Amino acid sequence: MRRRTLAASLAAAAAAAAAVPTAAIAKPGRQGDAYTWRNAIVNGGGWVPGIVFNETEADLIYARTDIGGLYRWQEHSQTWKPLLDWIGWDRWGWTGIVSVATDPVETKRVYAAVGTYTNDWDPTDGAVLYSADYGETWGAAELPFKQGGNMPGRGMGERLAVDPADNAVVYLGTPNGNGLWRSTDYGRTWAEVADFPNPGNFVITPGDPYSGDNQGVIWIEFDQTGRIFVGVADPDDPLYASGDRGRTWQPVPGAAAALGTADGNRTIPKQAAIDHENGHLFIVTSWNPGPYNGPPPTGRGGAIQRLSLATGEWTDVTPAYDPVGTIPGFGGLTVDRKRPGTLMAATENHWYPDEVIFRSTDSGASWQTAWDYVWDKDYSWPPQRTDRFTLNPAGNEWLTWGKTDDGPAYAIKHGWMMDAVSIDPHDSDRIMWIGGTIWGTEHLTAWDAQGPLVGWDETAGQQVALPVEPFEVGVRVQGIEETAVTDIAALGGTLVSAMGDLAGFVQTDLDRPGVMIRHPNWTSGRALDFAGKNPDVIVGTGDVEGDVDGHVGVSLDRGSTWQTTKRLEGVAGGGNAGTVTVSADGAVIVWSPGDGTTAPVRSTDLGQTWTPVAGLPAGALVRADRTDTNRQYAFAGGTVYASTDSGSSFTATSASGLPPAGPVDLRAVPGKRGHLWLAGGETGKTYGMWRSTDCGRTWCRIQHFEEADAVGFGKARSRFGYPAIYASAKAGGQRGIWRSTDEGLTWSRINDDAHQWGWTGKTITGDPAVYGRVYVATNGRGLIYGDIAD
């Protein structure tokens, strides 16, 4: 693949377009420019609760994400292709994928159960999307209830399943008392299976808006005789079967005793897999649906149970040994279709030092672990560690998270929240699993030739690591971009991003992930700014843990290195990062903490000391003029504030008619003293876009938009022209990404209906060095950028 720097010419960008798997060309807007859309590469960045192989067609694999849509594997390029970029603003919740089912009979057919939240965070009901062309085009069957692609329990399942005996029949398990649903026309219409007796009852935290769901009907499996098995989140009645094609249902004898408890902890059946040749139904259980749980207060948190489909006999095949100690519960489960009797499972969650992957080749009678401790004779801490495979993060070095190996806790882990573990049904050597990224190998069966990891040295009287030839596991996430981008700073040749859960990145090559911002140690990046006259100076804010790093970070070399600032007394870590700005010359930083009670502060020594700012309320959005080093601006509650003394004090302007409520984006125009643009507001109230050319004293509404959420600027179309303006907005009832090259007099939509990426209202900016280039922040599809195609 050709690499493309931020300073590359448009001709080079267009020439490279065909080589980039995530690229697509949008139709021309009114101003005649077709656009090519790609991702600024991070590789992953989110969570993939499910990896599903088609059991009939080789190399047909789907990956579902919790907020970033659905992907299909492309074997020729070893990358994933996004399939749901057509989902727009009004249906953004459909980017959360509850489950995916790939048809084993007509393999072009694929189904996705969608909906991000079951609470009021998501305004729309869920749906089942259906496709007959591998996900290239879709239809949608809307449901009368919500689904939770980003809710607790999202790694269980799969909740969707195609009946292999009649592939027009598709089943869906649902949460919150909605029961089991069925379609008999390839997913186009749905009805509840009225005779299914149990909608589930397991709730993590009753009454909690996020953890209060009844987990409901969890998964559906079919054996070779046509029987249907359904797992239910009910420890007292967790498994049902039907032998008459779903007309009647009976509880499976012995299921409650086998699946409903582990060491006194109530458990539910999280995942299941059938070994057809040996006639075994394997089920993993856990005391918590995940994915964030650790172990229960006492005892083990789950089990692996085996049901003989011929006799109905239950056998507890839970591994007797876990190097960390008591099993906290289980995540993923998979069987090897080519090697009957072989299965694997993963713990969820030990957290330290790593998760444990188990493998059995005798139907669970015995197990081996992916790694083990090696203790000296005194059992001194820390022990050594020995592993069956090595992790190669090539091209994704950020997976260290800035850490180094610490005894048995490696900087790069096998994983956490490991609900997706899948052996290729066509190739026993290939496996993929989720664990901070998608890991995978094509050498899995080398495990079976290794033997035990640990032996006993009689002379030394202690354990020793036995020699094994480790196989290599590498990153298999390329093409999946699932970051939630919170802010962008385009400097011309350097792109800096702030991201939820990943802090952010500094990139000089958009085809490589770049360097993760790790100092300060942000858990999530929140806001960015740079000095308008000296863009080597960058400031940012992020959520922090502990009491060491301050929320604000500073770079003096375009993001190559960062330094921390002093922690402001009284501002706790977590989600209190707020917004930050830096004067045009880089000399003054103004920070507005996000805790809602601490008033903005100012620093002239790169954040080593902070002094209160006069005249601003807590939580105000702060911005610096890009040209005038003495001018700063702020916005709060419909009021614009201005400072002429480098942010020492602010005074409310006389501006009126601006949004008093709702999210707002305020931006200063590069090279234009006193020019400001504002977008935002609240549906049904004051909502839109405005501009000011007099330092915020008066404002003119941009009549083109009835709603607008983000605005930014890039290189002008002509040498002395006004910067190109980009917006995520709604005009004439049409949501889109818009561009103006004439100071906002006229606008053209530059994306199309195939490239919408759900919600795009957080931030947008152009590039100061490349005309036409625009960067779009998404909430789960990464950092999208567009170039003029020709």
Side-chain angles (χ1 to χ4, degrees):
M1 181 186 296
R2 287 188 59 177
R3 293 205 172 94
R4 180 173 45 260
T5 66
L6 290 170
S9 67
L10 294 178
V20 181
T22 54
I25 296 177
K27 297 177 182 178
R30 273 184 5 203
Q31 295 178 349
D33 290 329
Y35 261 74
T36 300
W37 299 97
R38 305 176 179 86
N39 276 101
I41 299 299
V42 166
N43 287 332
W47 194 50
V48 179
I51 301 169
V52 177
F53 287 77
N54 187 281
E55 294 193 6
T56 306
E57 182 175 335
D59 301 324
L60 179 55
I61 317 166
Y62 293 92
R64 61 178 175 93
T65 72
D66 50 9
I67 63 170
L70 180 69
Y71 291 79
R72 187 184 73 238
W73 179 252
Q74 301 177 114
E75 183 70 16
H76 66 280
S77 62
Q78 298 286 291
T79 62
W80 298 90
K81 178 179 180 177
L83 300 177
L84 300 183
D85 285 354
W86 55 270
I87 293 175
W89 183 283
D90 293 335
R91 297 289 190 184
W92 64 263
W94 289 7
T95 62
I97 312 303
V98 176
S99 186
V100 61
T102 172
D103 192 325
V105 180
E106 297 176 79
T107 58
K108 290 184 177 181
R109 295 187 182 275
V110 60
Y111 304 88
V114 299
T116 300
Y117 298 106
T118 58
N119 53 32
D120 59 8
W121 301 349
D122 186 344
T124 57
D125 283 336
V128 175
L129 308 182
Y130 53 87
S131 171
D133 55 9
Y134 297 110
E136 293 296 321
T137 60
W138 296 86
E142 297 188 36
L143 299 169
F145 49 81
K146 294 183 178 183
Q147 300 189 104
N150 198 33
M151 297 292 285
R154 58 192 182 272
M156 299 193 297
E158 292 290 322
R159 292 180 186 258
L160 269 176
V162 178
D163 188 340
D166 180 359
N167 68 311
V169 177
V170 188
Y171 285 90
L172 170 67
T174 70
N176 291 325
N178 292 300
L180 180 68
W181 284 60
R182 179 170 53 208
S183 170
T184 58
D185 56 4
Y186 300 99
R188 285 162 175 76
T189 61
W190 291 82
E192 185 176 0
V193 180
D195 291 329
F196 189 78
N198 190 351
N201 59 17
F202 188 92
V203 178
I204 302 172
T205 308
D208 185 89
Y210 186 62
S211 300
D213 275 358
N214 168 8
Q215 293 295 316
V217 179
I218 303 171
W219 49 260
I220 303 99
E221 291 283 341
F222 302 88
D223 74 5
Q224 288 188 320
T225 70
R227 278 187 299 175
I228 310 170
F229 293 88
V230 177
V232 178
D234 178 356
D236 296 324
D237 213 359
L239 184 63
Y240 286 80
S242 173
D244 55 9
R245 314 225 11 99
R247 288 187 291 274
T248 61
W249 301 85
Q250 296 79 36
V252 174
L259 306 176
T261 183
D263 285 354
N265 296 301
R266 288 169 61 81
T267 56
I268 58 176
K270 287 188 63 176
Q271 292 189 21
I274 293 181
D275 179 343
H276 295 291
E277 287 74 12
N278 287 318
H280 290 149
L281 172 63
F282 292 97
I283 300 173
V284 293
T285 71
S286 185
W287 72 289
N288 188 292
Y292 307 115
N293 64 283
T298 60
R300 67 177 182 176
I304 304 177
Q305 295 285 345
R306 185 182 73 205
L307 173 65
S308 170
L309 299 177
T311 68
E313 179 185 5
W314 288 96
T315 304
D316 187 340
V317 295
T318 309
Y321 172 70
D322 180 324
V324 183
T326 303
I327 289 172
F330 284 99
L333 170 71
T334 183
V335 298
D336 187 338
R337 299 292 183 202
K338 291 292 186 180
R339 295 190 173 196
T342 296
L343 66 153
M344 297 176 70
T347 57
E348 189 179 76
N349 285 298
H350 277 307
W351 298 113
Y352 181 92
D354 212 337
E355 293 310 314
V356 179
I357 301 174
F358 297 95
R359 179 175 172 90
S360 172
T361 58
D362 55 11
S363 299
S366 63
W367 297 86
Q368 291 182 326
T369 58
W371 64 272
D372 204 350
Y373 286 140
V374 184
W375 295 94
D376 66 19
K377 61 183 178 181
D378 297 319
Y379 285 85
S380 304
W381 186 266
Q384 297 180 38
R385 174 174 161 175
T386 179
D387 293 74
R388 295 189 180 279
F389 51 80
T390 59
L391 296 177
N392 181 359
N396 304 269
E397 285 74 14
W398 64 264
L399 290 169
T400 65
W401 299 79
K403 299 177 181 179
T404 57
D405 291 353
D406 182 12
Y410 296 164
I412 299 178
K413 295 181 178 294
H414 292 182
W416 56 90
M417 296 160 50
M418 291 172 61
D419 278 326
V421 180
S422 300
I423 298 173
D424 187 338
H426 307 279
D427 182 356
S428 297
D429 272 316
R430 176 152 72 171
I431 187 173
M432 294 183 185
W433 75 82
I434 182 65
T437 186
I438 294 179
W439 294 109
T441 185
E442 293 73 43
H443 308 286
L444 177 60
T445 59
W447 179 317
D448 301 328
Q450 291 172 333
L453 289 173
V454 178
W456 183 260
D457 185 329
E458 291 287 352
T459 302
Q462 65 179 36
Q463 291 181 341
V464 292
L466 297 177
V468 296
E469 184 67 30
F471 57 95
E472 184 175 276
V473 172
V475 174
R476 300 293 184 269
V477 80
Q478 290 84 352
I480 294 180
E481 297 291 336
E482 204 198 346
T483 53
V485 181
T486 56
D487 210 350
I488 307 168
L491 310 180
T494 301
L495 182 70
V496 187
S497 56
M499 296 178 173
D501 295 335
L502 294 185
F505 288 83
V506 179
Q507 295 175 267
T508 57
D509 180 344
L510 295 181
D511 287 341
R512 301 172 66 97
V515 178
M516 179 187 277
I517 301 170
R518 297 311 305 155
H519 188 68
N521 186 22
W522 292 334
T523 54
S524 288
R526 296 300 180 187
L528 296 166
D529 196 21
F530 60 92
K533 290 185 172 181
N534 182 13
D536 286 354
V537 179
I538 312 168
V539 296
T541 64
D543 302 339
V544 293
E545 295 178 337
D547 56 3
V548 179
D549 289 347
H551 292 79
V552 178
V554 180
S555 175
L556 304 179
D557 51 14
R558 298 174 75 86
S560 294
T561 61
W562 292 77
Q563 60 192 61
T564 59
T565 58
K566 184 179 179 181
R567 185 73 168 265
L568 190 61
E569 186 175 351
V571 180
N576 297 319
T579 58
V580 66
T581 193
V582 60
S583 59
D585 58 359
V588 177
I589 301 171
V590 175
W591 174 39
S592 179
D595 62 355
T597 59
T598 304
V601 291
R602 174 181 184 269
S603 177
T604 57
D605 58 4
L606 303 178
Q608 299 313 300
T609 59
W610 299 99
T611 57
V613 167
L616 282 185
L621 171 62
V622 291
R623 293 284 184 251
D625 195 285
R626 292 297 192 205
T627 301
D628 189 331
T629 60
N630 293 316
R631 288 192 177 273
Q632 308 255 3
Y633 310 100
F635 183 86
T639 299
V640 177
Y641 300 83
S643 170
T644 57
D645 56 8
S646 297
S648 293
S649 61
F650 286 76
T651 302
T653 71
S654 58
S656 61
L658 299 175
V664 165
D665 188 23
L666 173 67
R667 301 287 172 173
V669 183
K672 301 293 181 180
R673 177 185 177 276
H675 283 222
L676 302 171
W677 289 68
L678 184 147
E682 195 170 27
T683 301
K685 299 180 181 179
T686 306
Y687 198 177
M689 181 184 289
W690 295 260
R691 66 169 301 196
S692 172
T693 58
D694 59 3
C695 303
R697 288 187 291 273
T698 61
W699 293 79
C700 175
R701 177 157 186 156
I702 304 302
Q703 297 298 326
H704 188 80
F705 299 122
E706 56 259 35
E707 297 176 359
D709 293 86
V711 62
F713 311 96
K715 185 178 181 179
R717 187 172 190 173
S718 60
R719 182 176 180 184
F720 299 108
Y722 200 84
I725 311 166
Y726 300 92
S728 176
K730 182 179 181 180
Q734 176 67 66
R735 271 283 174 182
I737 306 301
W738 303 81
R739 188 190 73 194
S740 174
T741 59
D742 56 9
E743 208 166 336
L745 293 176
T746 61
W747 296 82
S748 64
R749 183 182 181 224
I750 57 176
N751 70 320
D752 63 10
D753 289 350
H755 305 92
Q756 300 191 72
W757 316 290
W759 189 78
T760 58
K762 186 62 177 177
T763 188
I764 191 171
T765 187
D767 190 289
V770 182
Y771 168 67
R773 180 170 290 180
V774 59
Y775 302 97
V776 181
T778 75
N779 186 44
R781 264 292 282 125
L783 203 167
I784 299 286
Y785 76 99
D787 279 321
I788 297 173
D790 55 357

